[in-house]
């Protein structure tokens, strides 16, 4: 079996693949030979690692498969040459440090870092990828496997980009293909944080570097797309004769676009490249990016530097407690400190529970190799230490070792001199809030702050809370609290509670609650079913439901009858029948004892007053749709006035959204934006997911009119997120249409396609206007690809 890793910075592996490794290469691609590499000699590895086989050698050093005696697992040991430059050593540090701050990247995890005793040769130990570098497979693997590996590498690169990292050295030698055919990226020694405007490249492999980089340009995602295209071109040169003409031409077109000299003509992102390659080669979608997310461990650099300084300052037999509650990031801090000390040549050993099966044996292996007085021992999860572990560590400390323990407490009861204490601080509020917004874009600023507050700024707890909230309808603080208490709103089935859910835009929950009342024909249930139909984007079904209940109006009280007319007005308005909607709104006002033109004093009856504000909102909106902007603004300002006289936050939000919409249609964007933003606050207070979705959708339109693309995406993504979780089908559809339109405008065909595919699946339920918009977007997409 061959277990391969990267080429340690060498541009090609061909030199050692044929000569040093003596691999037999068949003339035609047939089967994959897993014969092991021949090992002639090995460096003097640390006692912890037992050499298994050489995986590759190059100008930068060598990579070995070794067995970790602490865990019994095979790992990759990447060893630089003895005269490696400081920049090459820093590349190892950069790879380890960048990867330590992210979870979910789907790249090999770095486990250990250090220098060989007596040689100062820097090494890095990481998870082993069971497979071969892509270029090793050029003559032995079928073309489909090679092309799929490039697409897989693009998926991994997409995840890196989403984690705000740029790989910096994408090439065939750094793409490892596993036995299952899936590929990953290794060698992140040239990686850099992705910042606005790109990053300064740390090194270039000429064959795979974008031309603008040689002219001093910064590294960007389009530069990485060029590297993917050059890699694809490399594959094509090997397999071209084995591809059908049509496939070869289609794949060639993908490679040509990706490697265009003009960066603007390349695919705008790695996921667009992957989608185009799979379509050209007839490969299935990987599904690799669907439900995974990347979690940055941000805001810990200062604390890490402090920890390293504190460890450096420890005297012989000194001790340090790294204290913090569960989720504080102690493990990441300890890992980074161990790597920094290791590359500096310190005799350091990190003991992580997941990588050490027997602590006593691991301590024996470590102390047998080093002078105890030079040792720095870092113990993670020290709360789990048994008395005999503590006794052994105390003995080593008395012999001169420096001991660093990461634990939740302050080390009370530990033997020996008092340990120094480093308390891990929480994340800064702005850092923690940004982490939450990246995963839950629909949350309001108030709720984001509430999540951070509940997590105490601790990254682990923050992730737990966000995981719990993901996929849930969270609009108000009450929603947040009830979810944490595992409340189940779906158990409430009274008609008042159903209407409460509907009025708050909770259509999924309301639908579940209505399932047990299908036979109820009372007017209250008919109104509820009509609200549900309209909210789910089926206004004609709402009209039919209301028409079936119309005979009950003769015996209904004033408020129920007015509510019927208001719901009928809203259903017709959603269907685009504005004249009929306006008529129904006027009839509702008539039943309530007023009309649009006359000032109406707010009645004492709460329900009566609420309905009056609601009816004025619908009437004003229909006037706006009819082009009567001044009349609409006047009516809607009265609606806001009446609503403010109620105790109903939802009605205030509804009136403000309606007023803002009319102002927006009249291109009064400043006042419209102010009204929308105030409506968001009242919607949140009311817990109305529907209004929040609508408001976000309209704020996106205002932002787009002002050419603020960033704010447009922010509001549209929030609208889709909230709308999906609340069952707001019509608003989700409109947000997807707008997102697709914007993505096409920016040339992001694949992202637009995902929205278009979802809309196409709903084709039969789309209103005519939405269908027309969808057809136009499909045509634009076809032209773009």
């Amino acid at each position: 079996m061959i277990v391969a890793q990267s080429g340690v910075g060498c541009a090609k592996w061909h030199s050692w693949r044929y000569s040093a490794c003596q691999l037999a290469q068949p003339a035609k691609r047939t089967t994959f030979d897993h014969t092991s590499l021949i090992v002639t000699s090995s460096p003097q590895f640390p006692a912890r690692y037992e050499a298994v086989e050489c995986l590759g050698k190059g100008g930068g050093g060598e990579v070995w498969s070794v067995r970790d005696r602490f865990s019994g697992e095979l790992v990759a040991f990447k060893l630089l040459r003895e005269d490696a430059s400081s920049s090459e050593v820093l590349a190892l540090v950069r790879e380890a440090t960048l990867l330590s701050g992210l979870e979910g990247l789907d790249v090999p995890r770095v486990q250990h870092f250090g220098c060989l005793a007596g040689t100062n040769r820097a090494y890095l130990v990481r998870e082993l990828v069971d497979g071969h570098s892509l270029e090793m497979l050029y003559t032995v693997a079928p073309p489909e496997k090679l092309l799929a590996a490039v697409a897989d590498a693009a998926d991994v690169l997409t995840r890196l980009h989403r984690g705000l990292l740029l790989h910096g050295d994408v090439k065939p030698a750094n793409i490892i293909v596993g036995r299952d055919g899936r590929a990953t990226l290794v060698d992140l020694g040239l990686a850099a944080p992705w910042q606005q405007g790109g990053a300064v490249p740390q090194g270039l492999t000429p064959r795979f570097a974008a031309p603008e980089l040689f002219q001093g340009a910064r590294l960007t995602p389009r530069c990485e797309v060029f590297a993917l295209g050059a890699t694809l071109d490399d594959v094509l040169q090997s397999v071209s004769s084995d591809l059908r003409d049509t496939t070869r031409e289609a794949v060639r077109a993908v490679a040509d676009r990706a490697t265009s000299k003009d960066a603007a003509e390349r695919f705008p992102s790695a996921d667009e490249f992957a989608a185009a390659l799979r379509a050209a080669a007839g490969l299935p979608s990987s599904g690799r990016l669907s439900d995974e997310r990347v979690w940055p461990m941000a805001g810990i650099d200062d604390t890490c530097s402090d920890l390293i300084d504190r460890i450096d300052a420890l005297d012989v037999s000194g001790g340090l407690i790294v204290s913090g509650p569960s989720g504080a990031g102690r493990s990441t801090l300890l890992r980074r400190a161990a790597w920094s000390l290791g590359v500096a040549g310190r005799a350091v050993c990190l003991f992580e529970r997941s990588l050490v099966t027997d602590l006593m044996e691991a301590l024996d292996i470590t102390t047998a190799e080093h002078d105890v007085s030079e040792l720095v021992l870092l113990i993670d999860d020290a709360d789990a230490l048994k008395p005999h572990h503590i006794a052994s560590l105390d003995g080593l400390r008395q012999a001169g070792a420096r001991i660093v323990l990461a634990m939740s407490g302050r080390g009370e009861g530990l033997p020996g001199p008092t340990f120094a204490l480093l308390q891990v601080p929480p994340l800064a509020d702005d850092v923690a809030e940004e982490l939450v917004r990246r995963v839950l874009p629909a949350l309001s600023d108030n709720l984001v702050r509430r999540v951070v507050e509940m997590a105490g700024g601790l990254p682990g707890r923050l992730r737990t809370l966000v995981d719990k909230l993901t996929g849930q309808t969270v609009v108000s603080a009450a929603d947040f609290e009830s979810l944490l208490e595992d409340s189940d709103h779906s158990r409430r089935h009274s008609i008042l509670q159903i209407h409460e859910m509907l009025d708050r835009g909770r259509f999924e929950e309301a639908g579940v609650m209505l399932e047990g009342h299908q036979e109820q024909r009372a007017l209250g249930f008919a109104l509820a079913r009509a609200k549900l139909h309209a909210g789910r984007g089926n206004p004609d079904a709402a009209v039919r439901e209301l028409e079936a209940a119309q005979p009950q109006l003769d015996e209904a009280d004033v408020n129920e009858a007015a509510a019927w007319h208001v719901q009928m007005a809203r259903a017709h308005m959603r269907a685009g029948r504005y004249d009929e909607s306006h008529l129904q709104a006027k009839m509702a006002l008539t039943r309530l004892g007023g009309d649009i033109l006359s000032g109406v004093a707010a009645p004492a009856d709460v329900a009566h007053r609420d309905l009056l504000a609601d009816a004025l909102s619908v009437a004003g909106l229909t006037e706006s749709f009819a082009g009567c902007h001044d009349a609409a603004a006047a009516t809607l300002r009265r609606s806001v006035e009446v609503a403010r006289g109620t105790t109903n936050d939802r009605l205030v939000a509804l009136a403000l959204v309606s007023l803002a919409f009319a102002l927006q249609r009249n291109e009064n964007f400043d006042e419209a934006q102010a009204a929308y933003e105030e409506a968001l606050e009242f919607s949140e207070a009311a817990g109305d997911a529907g209004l929040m979705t609508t408001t976000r959708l309209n704020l996106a339109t205002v932002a787009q009119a002002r050419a603020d693309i960033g704010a447009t995406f922010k509001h549209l993504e929030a609208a889709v997120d909230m709308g999906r979780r609340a069952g707001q089908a019509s608003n989700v559809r409109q947000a997807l249409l707008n997102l697709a339109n914007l993505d096409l405008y920016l040339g992001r065909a694949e992202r637009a396609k995902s929205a278009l595919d979802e809309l196409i699946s709903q084709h039969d339920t789309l209103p005519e206007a939405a269908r027309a918009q969808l057809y136009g977007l499909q045509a634009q997409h076809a032209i773009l690809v």
Side-chain angles (χ1 to χ4, degrees):
M1 178 184 73
I2 297 176
V3 191
Q5 276 282 339
S6 65
V8 202
C10 46
K12 293 285 186 179
W13 281 24
H14 294 288
S15 58
W16 65 261
R17 186 180 64 189
Y18 289 100
S19 57
C21 301
Q22 301 296 313
L23 285 178
Q25 304 294 347
K28 299 293 291 181
R29 69 184 90 270
T30 53
T31 59
F32 191 5
D33 182 8
H34 289 286
T35 305
S36 296
L37 296 170
I38 298 174
V39 179
T40 56
S41 63
S42 67
Q44 186 63 43
F45 291 112
R48 174 174 178 175
Y49 302 105
E50 175 189 1
V52 176
E53 57 185 346
C54 177
L55 302 177
K57 293 183 179 181
E62 53 197 289
V63 177
W64 287 75
S65 167
V66 299
R67 188 175 306 281
D68 183 354
R69 289 188 171 99
F70 286 10
S71 65
E73 296 179 352
L74 286 176
V75 292
F77 193 98
K78 180 177 180 179
L79 180 65
L80 294 186
R81 68 181 190 276
E82 192 160 0
D83 61 345
S85 66
S86 59
S87 62
E88 289 174 304
V89 175
L90 287 175
L92 278 188
V93 178
R94 185 183 302 111
E95 177 174 2
T97 301
L98 289 174
L99 294 183
S100 75
L102 290 161
E103 294 182 23
L105 282 176
D106 202 13
V107 294
R109 177 191 168 197
V110 176
Q111 297 182 355
H112 193 57
F113 204 84
C115 291
L116 289 188
T119 67
N120 291 324
R121 295 182 66 182
Y123 67 82
L124 176 150
V125 180
R126 65 182 173 208
E127 290 176 323
L128 194 64
V129 180
D130 186 357
H132 296 260
S133 71
L134 178 63
E135 64 179 2
M136 285 186 67
L137 304 181
Y138 283 174
T139 59
V140 294
E144 295 78 11
K145 181 174 182 176
L146 299 176
L147 295 174
V150 178
D152 269 356
D155 287 343
V156 178
L157 191 62
T158 297
R159 296 190 55 70
L160 283 169
H161 290 174
R162 290 179 183 177
L164 302 184
L165 283 181
L166 295 164
H167 185 280
D169 197 21
V170 175
K171 58 187 179 184
N174 288 340
I175 297 173
I176 304 300
V177 185
R179 287 180 174 274
D180 60 359
R182 303 188 74 176
T184 190
L185 285 168
V186 295
D187 264 355
L188 277 84
L190 301 181
W194 180 5
Q195 300 172 343
Q196 190 68 30
V200 177
Q202 301 298 321
L204 300 175
T205 300
R207 168 74 177 84
F208 303 97
E212 63 266 25
L213 294 175
F214 296 102
Q215 301 170 6
R218 296 172 73 87
L219 183 67
T220 66
R222 287 182 191 255
C223 294
E224 307 250 79
V225 168
F226 181 96
L228 286 170
T231 297
L232 179 58
D233 180 71
D234 216 43
V235 171
L236 274 176
Q237 291 181 35
S238 172
V239 304
S240 180
S241 61
D242 296 313
L243 293 173
R244 291 182 302 173
D245 290 345
T246 54
T247 301
R248 181 173 57 255
E249 291 171 3
V251 174
R252 167 54 57 197
V254 174
D256 288 347
R257 180 180 174 186
T259 54
S260 171
K261 292 182 179 180
D262 184 352
E265 294 181 1
R266 298 174 201 150
F267 297 99
S269 61
D271 56 333
E272 297 280 349
F273 170 88
L277 174 54
R278 288 190 171 102
L283 301 171
S285 174
S286 71
R288 199 165 183 171
L289 302 172
S290 57
D291 299 320
E292 303 171 342
R293 39 171 116 81
V294 178
W295 281 89
M297 184 69 77
I300 66 169
D301 291 341
D302 290 343
T303 305
C304 186
S305 296
D306 187 21
L307 173 59
I308 293 169
D309 290 342
R310 299 280 292 274
I311 295 173
D312 272 334
L314 285 176
D315 293 328
V316 172
S317 299
L320 177 66
I321 300 290
V322 180
S323 179
S326 176
R330 300 184 313 244
S331 298
T332 297
L333 288 170
L334 228 61
R335 203 174 297 135
R336 286 197 180 184
W339 294 338
S340 297
L341 293 167
V343 77
R346 299 289 297 274
V348 59
C349 195
L350 170 64
F351 300 91
E352 298 181 81
R353 290 180 65 189
S354 61
L355 301 177
V356 178
T357 56
D358 187 330
L359 178 59
M360 298 301 293
E361 181 183 3
L363 288 172
D364 289 342
I365 293 172
T366 302
T367 54
E369 185 178 28
H370 297 280
D371 181 345
V372 174
S373 65
E374 298 295 327
L375 273 176
V376 180
L377 303 178
L378 292 84
I379 315 295
D380 197 15
D381 293 318
D383 298 278
L385 291 176
K386 300 293 191 293
H388 65 285
H389 295 146
I390 294 174
S392 293
L393 288 171
D394 186 50
L396 291 172
R397 183 180 176 187
Q398 291 181 37
R402 296 157 179 84
I403 308 293
V404 181
L405 305 176
M407 58 198 310
S408 60
R410 295 172 174 264
E412 294 88 350
L414 289 175
T418 303
F419 278 67
L421 179 68
L422 173 63
Q423 187 73 41
V424 180
L427 295 177
D429 287 348
D430 58 339
V431 173
E433 289 170 10
E434 180 58 27
L435 292 179
V436 176
R437 289 191 182 95
R438 287 185 60 189
V439 182
L440 299 175
L443 283 193
S444 69
D445 289 344
N446 288 336
L447 284 180
V448 168
R449 287 190 288 270
R450 179 62 176 143
V451 172
V452 172
E453 179 186 347
M454 287 290 292
L458 302 178
R461 291 185 183 178
L462 197 66
R463 177 171 184 173
T464 299
L465 283 177
V466 169
D467 281 344
K468 192 164 189 176
L469 297 178
T470 299
Q472 302 295 327
T473 306
V474 183
V475 179
S476 67
D479 299 331
F480 180 72
E481 302 295 342
S482 65
L483 276 173
L484 296 183
E485 296 171 1
D486 293 323
S487 298
D488 185 358
H489 295 295
S490 66
R491 295 176 183 173
R492 301 183 295 182
H493 296 288
S494 76
I495 188 59
L496 292 177
Q497 291 166 333
I498 292 172
H499 275 283
E500 178 190 352
M501 287 292 104
L502 289 165
D503 288 341
R504 294 173 63 191
R506 307 302 184 82
F507 298 122
E508 290 301 318
E509 292 165 87
V512 172
M513 295 162 74
L514 271 170
E515 286 178 357
H517 301 280
Q518 295 301 319
E519 304 303 318
Q520 290 280 358
R521 308 321 309 169
L523 186 57
F525 284 101
L527 289 172
R529 285 190 286 269
K531 284 183 183 179
L532 183 60
H533 286 310
R536 286 177 166 173
N538 194 346
D540 289 333
V543 169
R544 290 193 294 271
E545 185 74 48
L546 292 167
E547 287 175 342
Q550 188 170 5
Q552 299 183 52
L553 294 183
D554 294 337
E555 299 179 3
D557 61 27
V558 170
N559 288 339
E560 280 189 319
W564 185 91
H565 286 292
V566 169
Q567 290 307 312
M568 186 65 86
R570 288 200 174 278
H572 282 300
M573 183 172 65
R574 286 178 180 270
R577 296 184 285 267
Y578 303 125
D579 289 343
E580 183 62 28
S581 176
H582 191 66
L583 175 62
Q584 292 293 336
K586 289 175 64 176
M587 294 177 69
L589 288 167
T590 299
R591 285 189 180 267
L592 293 168
D595 57 45
I596 294 174
L597 298 177
S598 64
V600 181
D605 179 73
V606 173
H608 198 89
R609 184 172 52 193
D610 289 355
L611 283 165
L612 180 61
D614 203 357
L616 285 168
S617 289
V618 182
L621 283 173
T622 55
E623 289 171 337
S624 176
F625 281 121
C628 304
H629 298 302
D630 292 340
T635 301
L636 291 166
R637 291 187 197 281
R638 280 196 291 275
S639 173
V640 172
E641 180 183 357
V642 173
R644 289 190 190 278
T646 72
T647 58
N648 191 327
D649 289 330
R650 175 188 169 274
L651 279 178
V652 180
L654 179 62
L656 284 167
V657 167
S658 302
L659 173 61
F661 183 72
L663 294 168
Q664 176 185 337
R665 284 176 57 82
N666 201 25
E667 298 187 355
N668 187 347
F669 295 124
D670 289 342
E671 194 175 353
Q673 181 171 335
Y676 280 136
E677 289 174 348
E678 187 180 5
L680 274 180
E681 296 177 8
F682 279 97
S683 298
E684 180 184 337
D688 192 323
L691 272 175
M692 288 195 74
T693 305
T694 299
T695 305
R696 288 284 197 178
L697 191 56
N698 291 335
L699 274 169
T701 306
V702 172
Q704 189 166 2
R706 289 176 159 174
D708 188 344
I709 301 300
T712 304
F713 272 116
K714 171 186 173 183
H715 291 305
L716 286 175
E717 288 168 354
V720 171
D721 181 33
M722 179 64 73
R724 279 175 174 159
R725 289 187 275 129
Q728 292 269 317
S730 59
N731 280 332
V732 170
R733 284 199 296 259
Q734 189 57 56
L736 287 171
L737 286 166
N738 292 355
L739 273 173
N741 183 52
L742 191 55
D743 279 325
L744 288 172
Y745 171 74
L746 295 174
R748 302 196 297 197
E750 178 58 24
R751 296 189 185 186
K753 184 177 183 298
S754 64
L756 293 175
D757 287 345
E758 184 171 345
L759 291 163
I760 291 168
S761 69
Q762 304 171 19
H763 177 275
D764 294 342
T765 63
L766 292 178
E768 289 184 10
R771 287 186 193 179
Q773 189 176 357
L774 175 59
Y775 296 149
L777 293 173
Q778 286 179 279
Q780 290 182 47
H781 182 267
I783 293 171
L784 189 60
V785 299

